[in-house]
Amino acid sequence: MAILIDDSVAMRRALQLSELGLGLTSPNPIVGAVIIDATGKNVGEGFHQRVNDLRHAEVVALDKAGAKAKGATLVLTLEPCNHEGKTPPCTEAIIAAGIKRVVFAVSDPNPIAKGGAEKLRAAGIEVISGVLEEEVRFSNRAWLKKISKNRPYITLKLATSLDGKIAAANGSSKWITNEISRSDVARLRSECDAIVTGIGTVIADDPALTVRGVERAGAKFAPTRIVMGKRPVPSGAKILDESAPTIHLETNDLTDLMELARAQGWNRILIEAGPKLVGAFLNARLFDELFLYQAPTFLGGSNDFTGELEIRDISERMDLELRDFLALGDEKRDLRLHLLAVKD
C-alpha cells in the first residue's frame, strides 16, 4: 500500500503530542501516536497522560479513529508494549483494530514490555522502526535514563548573574532574573515529577516551588516538593501549602533521595537549591543536564554557585555540552543555557 504522507511528518506530530504528557506519565514514558489512513489523512491521534487517563497513546488514537483504523498506518514514538500491566497489551488492540502498518521511533528497552514489534510482524503487520529516533530519544530522555541506569534523570536549575553569583553579598537574591525567565522555569518544573531544594533555601528564601500559569491539554501540574536537610521546616513555610505534596527528607545523603525516587517511580527530578546542595550533585557527578538562567548584571561578592565544587587542577575540570541557548525577555534580556553532562 502506498502511503501518501511521509512517515517523518506523522512522526513529528506524534513527537509533539508525546510532549504534552511531560510530567504526567511516571512511571511510564511519554508517548504520542497518530493514525494515517490510505489517503494520508490523520484519522486519530493521542498521547499518554497517566494522571488523567490510564490508556496508552496508541489506544487513545485507535479509539478516536474507530473503524477508520482498519487498513491504516499507526505512527508512534515508542514501540507498542507487549505486556499486561494496568492496561492490556497495546499490540492486541492494534491487531484487533486491523492496522496494516506500524511505524515507531524507539524500541522499548523495558524488558517487561518489549517484544511488540515481533508480535505485530507475526500477525502480518508491516513494522518500520527508527524513524526520527535521535529526536524522539532526546525528548524521552528522562524515562530512557531511568530504565537504563535505575535512577531518575536529574536536571539542575540555576539563576545567576554574569559573574556567576546566586545572591548579593548580604544574601538577597529575589529576583536576579526577569519575569520571562521565571515563567520558563515554571514550564521546566511542569515537566518534572519532583522539585528538590535544601532546608537552607527554605529558611532563607521561603520558596513555594509550584507550577504557575502552565497548562498542556487541560492538565494541572503539581510536582512533589522535596526538602533535604536535618533542620525542621518552619511552620507556615510556603512549601508546606496545599498546592502540591511536600516530603521532608531529613538527610543530606543523595543516596536516600535516589532511593525515594526509585520507590516513587519518578522519571525526572529538578534540583533548585543553594550552592551546598547543588555542589553535592556536581561533585558526585550526579546530574544529566543544567539549565542556567543568566541575567545581564554583576553582583560581586562570594556567593558563587560553584563555591562547593571540588576542582583543584585544570585536568579535573567539568566539561559540559551546550545543547542550545535562548534569549528571554525584551529589554533586560536573560540568557538561558541548556547544557548536558558529558558522560556515559
Side-chain angles (χ1 to χ4, degrees), residues 11 73 88 95 99 110-111 133 143 158 210 232 257 311 313 318:
M11 187 63 77
T73 292
I95 294 168
I99 288 289
N110 189 343
E133 181 175 0
W143 180 79
L158 290 162
T210 54
L257 175 62
I311 293 178
D313 184 83
M318 186 180 298

Side-chain angles (χ1 to χ4, degrees), residues 12-263:
R12 290 194 188 282
R13 175 56 181 165
L15 174 57
Q16 181 184 44
L17 287 166
S18 74
E19 292 178 343
L20 294 174
L22 285 166
L24 298 172
T25 65
S26 290
N28 298 339
I30 58 169
V31 183
V34 176
I35 296 175
I36 305 299
D37 69 11
T39 70
K41 182 180 178 181
N42 181 337
V43 294
E45 61 180 31
F47 67 98
H48 184 48
Q49 50 166 329
R50 186 174 179 271
V51 170
N52 300 321
D53 189 344
L54 287 178
R55 292 178 301 165
H56 289 188
E58 49 268 60
V59 174
V60 175
L62 287 169
D63 287 347
K64 289 182 179 179
K68 295 177 182 178
K70 187 174 179 62
T73 292
L74 169 64
V75 179
L76 70 162
T77 54
L78 186 68
E79 179 183 5
C81 70
N82 192 37
H83 85 296
E84 183 155 356
K86 293 189 176 180
T87 61
C90 291
T91 49
E92 293 183 0
I94 294 168
I95 294 168
I99 288 289
K100 190 171 183 179
R101 185 170 179 264
V102 171
V103 178
F104 66 86
V106 178
S107 298
D108 195 331
N110 189 343
I112 298 175
K114 69 179 184 178
E118 290 83 352
K119 183 171 181 178
L120 295 175
R121 289 190 181 103
I125 297 173
E126 180 186 358
V127 179
I128 305 294
S129 64
V131 176
L132 297 187
E133 181 175 0
E134 184 175 348
E135 293 179 43
V136 173
R137 277 190 173 277
F138 186 78
S139 180
N140 211 3
R141 63 193 182 280
W143 180 79
L144 291 169
K145 166 70 74 168
K146 185 185 72 173
I147 294 298
S148 66
K149 299 298 182 181
N150 192 32
R151 70 157 176 83
Y153 191 87
I154 299 171
T155 299
L156 302 180
K157 171 264 170 181
L158 290 162
T160 77
S161 60
L162 278 177
D163 51 344
K165 311 303 178 184
I166 60 172
N170 67 354
S172 58
S173 61
K174 195 174 183 176
W175 299 95
I176 294 176
T177 54
N178 64 30
E179 187 175 347
I180 302 300
S181 291
R182 297 195 291 275
S183 296
D184 195 72
V185 170
R187 175 202 54 78
L188 179 61
R189 289 174 180 171
S190 77
E191 297 175 353
C192 300
D193 301 302
I195 306 167
V196 181
T197 195
I199 186 62
T201 297
V202 172
I203 293 172
D205 298 338
D206 193 24
L209 297 184
T210 54
V211 175
R212 299 177 300 276
V214 179
E215 184 173 300
R216 294 194 299 274
K220 292 184 178 181
F221 303 88
T224 300
R225 300 170 294 192
I226 309 295
V227 180
M228 293 191 70
K230 297 180 180 179
R231 286 181 286 173
V233 178
S235 60
K238 292 177 184 176
I239 206 165
L240 296 177
D241 67 20
E242 296 181 355
S243 62
T246 299
I247 298 173
H248 183 195
L249 200 57
E250 298 181 55
T251 178
N252 295 311
D253 192 337
L254 301 186
T255 301
D256 294 333
L257 175 62
M258 294 301 100
E259 289 178 357
L260 173 64
R262 281 190 286 268

Side-chain angles (χ1 to χ4, degrees), residues 316-331:
E316 299 173 347
R317 71 187 188 186
M318 186 180 298
D319 291 325
L320 302 175
E321 174 191 337
L322 178 61
R323 171 74 184 185
D324 59 56
F325 60 92
L326 179 67
L328 299 170
D330 296 320
E331 296 179 1

Side-chain angles (χ1 to χ4, degrees), residues 288-309:
D288 299 289
E289 66 182 358
L290 165 65
F291 280 89
L292 178 63
Y293 295 82
Q294 198 166 47
T297 188
F298 293 109
L299 288 177
S302 59
N303 289 315
D304 301 276
F305 78 87
T306 56
E308 299 289 324
L309 192 56

